Amino acid sequence: MVALPFLGRLSFLLLIATTTTTAFAIGIHHGSIIRKPSSGVSNFREAPEFRNGDVCGTNASERIHIAMTLDVNYLRGTMAAVLSVLMHSTCPENTEFHFLWGKYEPEVVVSINSTFPYLNFRLYHFDSGRVRGKISRSIRQALDQPLNYARIYLADMLPPDVKRVLYLDSDLVVVDDIVKLWEVDLEGKVLAAPEYCHANFTKYFTDLFWSDKELSSTFNGRKPCYFNTGVMVVDVDKWRQGGYTPKVEEWMALQKQKRIYTLGSLPPFLLVLAGNIKAVHHRWNQHGLGGDNLEGKCRSLHPGPISLLHWSGKGKPWLRLDSRKPCAVDHLWAPYDLYGSPDHSLEE
């Protein structure tokens, strides 16, 4: 699939957000769509199977591994994210999803199976006991849920045959071929993500942290920059070999003794890896569309090309659309919404 320049892509997104045609037949530059009758098992419509590429291999080496969490409260977002990945992939049949769940909710699994009957996926139970006693209260309750910390334990949960994984949050949609992000050259780094060096890095930690010379010295020899952990390419083997999980846990344990940050699972990632990751283009995480963590006020798109739209922050597009008080950017998410009737996501 050919990448669109920013203005062309935005016009394209706005077009599909306002048309009355279902989103399934839009956004495919080549290939065909295979449909099956909907089973009506859940409140989600059945998604079509996409065949976008003329030549798509089935070798294990060509498989793209994507990890996401599964939670009933964010299921609507997860469904939209999965649809967006499949819709824009040249070879969606080569994508395998790895879903991490904390509390077994049968209706969630039923919904995944009925909505995506062709999906290649595996399920993994994340034991919340692994972070019990390690989580400190943050500025937003949603950030304190144990499943939000599951990304720290990916290397422990995934099978040995998974050497690399792309972790995605549930409040995003992909509008480009995910293989372009998947194939990034890590250049020996354990993790790749968009890096934001213009952000005020100091605000992610408390004055107590910065005033303690021993603690703040952890960044000596590094040029730390903010990166969002909702979109990461991770070398799973290197993560295991480097013992990164216990390194992150050490900072979480210290946070319980001294309040050195106010957010959830992000700061310990920054403490361990900021300034030592492979930076990728910002187009792969147009983040912050959910506004800030306290009020979730509307935000506009940043200038530049876009390959991934991310509603990080308090405001989630499905909630704002349902409340009939959507932000302008929420209409870019709506065409991927599989919940309810076909025209449900297009109503204002």
Side-chain angles (χ1 to χ4, degrees):
M1 186 172 295
V2 179
L4 298 176
F6 172 66
L7 290 177
R9 180 178 300 283
L10 184 56
S11 298
F12 170 76
L13 287 168
L14 289 172
L15 174 63
I16 64 174
T18 54
T19 182
T20 55
T21 306
T22 59
F24 300 145
I26 304 171
I28 305 302
H29 294 284
H30 52 279
S32 59
I33 298 173
I34 302 172
R35 293 181 181 272
K36 283 182 64 180
S38 177
S39 60
V41 173
S42 69
N43 291 325
F44 293 92
R45 304 188 303 280
E46 182 179 321
E49 182 182 21
F50 296 97
R51 287 287 186 261
N52 302 335
D54 297 327
V55 180
C56 292
T58 56
N59 296 331
S61 60
E62 298 176 342
R63 183 150 291 186
I64 297 172
H65 296 279
I66 298 178
M68 302 182 71
T69 56
L70 264 188
D71 176 80
V72 68
N73 295 319
Y74 280 79
L75 183 59
R76 192 164 162 188
T78 301
M79 294 291 201
V82 171
L83 176 64
S84 71
V85 169
L86 300 178
M87 180 184 292
H88 296 288
S89 294
T90 300
C91 296
E93 57 267 49
N94 290 349
T95 304
E96 181 171 346
F97 287 85
H98 302 263
F99 293 122
L100 318 176
W101 56 273
K103 177 183 177 183
Y104 181 66
E105 297 161 311
E107 66 272 23
V108 171
V109 180
V110 168
S111 294
I112 292 288
N113 279 314
S114 61
T115 304
F116 298 103
Y118 311 96
L119 196 67
N120 295 317
F121 72 92
R122 305 187 214 181
L123 293 169
Y124 307 82
H125 176 232
F126 172 64
D127 181 6
S128 61
R130 297 202 64 170
V131 291
R132 187 173 295 121
K134 296 185 179 74
I135 298 177
S136 300
R137 178 179 293 184
S138 65
I139 61 175
R140 185 158 61 92
Q141 187 177 5
L143 300 175
D144 301 337
Q145 302 307 308
L147 197 58
N148 195 45
Y149 289 79
R151 69 196 79 188
I152 298 170
Y153 302 92
L154 278 173
D156 299 337
M157 301 172 68
L158 297 176
D161 62 300
V162 179
K163 307 297 183 182
R164 171 184 288 212
V165 68
L166 170 57
Y167 178 85
L168 297 178
D169 272 349
S170 296
D171 52 359
L172 57 78
V173 291
V174 179
V175 293
D176 202 346
D177 193 340
I178 200 67
V179 73
K180 298 175 185 177
L181 177 59
W182 171 256
E183 292 180 343
V184 61
D185 183 357
L186 289 173
E187 298 179 359
K189 304 295 185 182
V190 69
L191 185 151
E195 198 174 47
Y196 303 89
C197 295
H198 63 276
N200 183 2
F201 189 80
T202 60
K203 72 177 183 179
Y204 293 98
F205 305 95
T206 63
D207 291 340
L208 175 63
F209 173 84
W210 292 114
S211 63
D212 188 314
K213 293 183 178 180
E214 183 178 355
L215 293 178
S216 58
S217 67
T218 189
F219 293 118
N220 288 352
R222 291 191 268 165
K223 293 183 178 179
C225 296
Y226 163 78
F227 66 91
N228 183 282
T229 55
V231 180
M232 303 183 292
V233 181
V234 182
D235 184 323
V236 182
D237 282 343
K238 190 174 290 293
W239 183 281
R240 294 189 186 108
Q241 295 163 7
Y244 284 92
T245 295
K247 290 178 181 178
V248 174
E249 287 181 322
E250 286 176 11
W251 285 109
M252 292 167 61
L254 182 61
Q255 165 74 353
K256 294 290 290 184
Q257 302 171 25
K258 303 178 179 180
R259 193 160 179 80
I260 57 176
Y261 53 80
T262 58
L263 289 174
S265 62
L266 169 64
F269 264 92
L270 297 179
L271 286 161
V272 174
L273 289 161
N276 193 28
I277 70 170
K278 166 62 179 179
V280 299
H281 199 285
H282 290 176
R283 69 188 305 149
W284 286 106
N285 197 349
Q286 174 91 200
H287 69 287
L289 301 184
D292 59 275
N293 280 301
L294 295 176
E295 299 182 49
K297 293 182 179 179
C298 293
R299 288 182 177 173
S300 301
L301 296 174
H302 302 297
I306 300 171
S307 293
L308 185 150
L309 296 152
H310 187 187
W311 278 260
S312 57
K314 185 177 181 180
K316 301 308 173 189
W318 55 91
L319 297 178
R320 295 195 295 210
L321 286 163
D322 285 354
S323 71
R324 307 278 179 170
K325 296 179 181 179
C327 297
V329 294
D330 298 338
H331 294 290
L332 302 178
W333 180 89
Y336 302 97
D337 187 11
L338 289 166
Y339 187 80
S341 59
D343 60 347
H344 171 84
S345 62
L346 301 178
E347 297 176 356
E348 295 189 17

